[in-house]
Amino acid sequence: MHEKLEMLRRLAGSNAAVLLLGEAGTGKEFVARKMHEFRQSAESSFIHVNCLEASMPEIAEGATVFLDEISEFPLEAQPELKSLLDESNCFIIASSKKDLEQLADEGKFMRDLYFKIGMLPVVIPPLRERKSDIPLFAEHFLKMFSLQTKKPMLKFSETAIETLCGAFWAGNIRELKNRIEHAVILSNTEIIGEDALLIRADFFYSKSSNEDAWDLKEAVHAFKTAFVRRALEAHNWHKTKTARSLKIERTYLSKILTDFNIHDE
């Protein structure tokens, strides 16, 4: 972790644009804010631009501009964005879960804009490849939600930590955060155990240890429910984004939610 922070500190000390690459939920915004902290001055500001909203940002002099999921910015508006960035004295950090160079080769992303933001790429690995970071993030979220819910300071059992480290975390840090928030809200003890995390149900389904009692229909139902719920949590229950990630129509996702009685608890 110390080496990672030192690398970010060095990058933040330059004026070159930085491109953060990685899956959704890996903590790219967290990294961008940390880099801003490293170079922050009294008059600087952090401007978070959600490129999904496709609006042209207002850029203050000397600000850190975080272009979140830059690949989603409309192609027709990218020349204007490039000009705006060229004329501004700001520190640019962009993020993308897509390969911008490939998009540029396919004519789906402005090549000059890619050259502007993509020369210092930093790959943020998925959480499943950063097992040593899981306990650190887990303890951070546990403390945060304990304070928010005004509960006595909670702690994890050893088996809970082992379960967290062994999970796949398709939704990365965002999914871990949501899982711990649910556990804290539902907890009525000071120890968060493995059962409170509700992780096993997401990865395994077993109606009974007796093989004669297995039911394929129920198993498929349980898996589909858990799979869709995990995708929704990874996208903060944003149905359009979730449907896009699952490669299905939003109307079909709505039907699944109704048929399987899936709702944000």
Side-chain angles (χ1 to χ4, degrees), residues 107-120:
K108 298 177 181 178
F109 194 84
M110 181 182 173
R111 187 170 294 278
D112 284 349
L113 180 57
Y114 169 65
F115 289 147
K116 174 74 176 178
I117 65 173
M119 296 300 98
L120 279 180

Side-chain angles (χ1 to χ4, degrees), residues 56-70:
M56 198 62 63
E58 295 183 7
I59 300 178
E61 189 73 8
T64 298
V65 181
F66 177 48
L67 301 168
D68 196 359
E69 296 303 338
I70 184 66

Side-chain angles (χ1 to χ4, degrees), residues 4 12 17 25 30 35 40 59 84 100 123 130 140-141 160-161 163 171 174 186 264:
K4 296 175 185 176
F30 171 83
M35 294 179 70
Q40 190 173 11
I59 300 178
L84 180 63
L100 294 185
V123 177
R130 298 150 55 193
H140 169 74
F141 293 137
I161 290 293
T163 299
R174 185 180 301 150
L186 297 175
D264 188 354

Side-chain angles (χ1 to χ4, degrees), residues 170 175 179 201-202 220-239 241-243 245-250 252-264:
E175 183 184 8
R179 185 68 61 195
D202 286 352
V220 171
H221 185 288
F223 172 78
K224 198 169 186 177
T225 299
F227 188 84
V228 172
R229 175 177 288 279
R230 281 162 54 79
L232 285 161
E233 290 176 350
H235 293 87
N236 292 323
W237 289 82
H238 191 293
K239 295 179 182 177
K241 293 180 183 177
T242 302
S245 73
L246 294 174
K247 296 181 173 58
I248 60 176
E249 296 295 328
R250 190 183 186 281
Y252 181 53
L253 175 60
S254 297
K255 183 178 184 301
I256 292 175
L257 301 188
T258 301
D259 292 348
F260 290 77
N261 192 29
I262 301 173
H263 55 86
D264 188 354

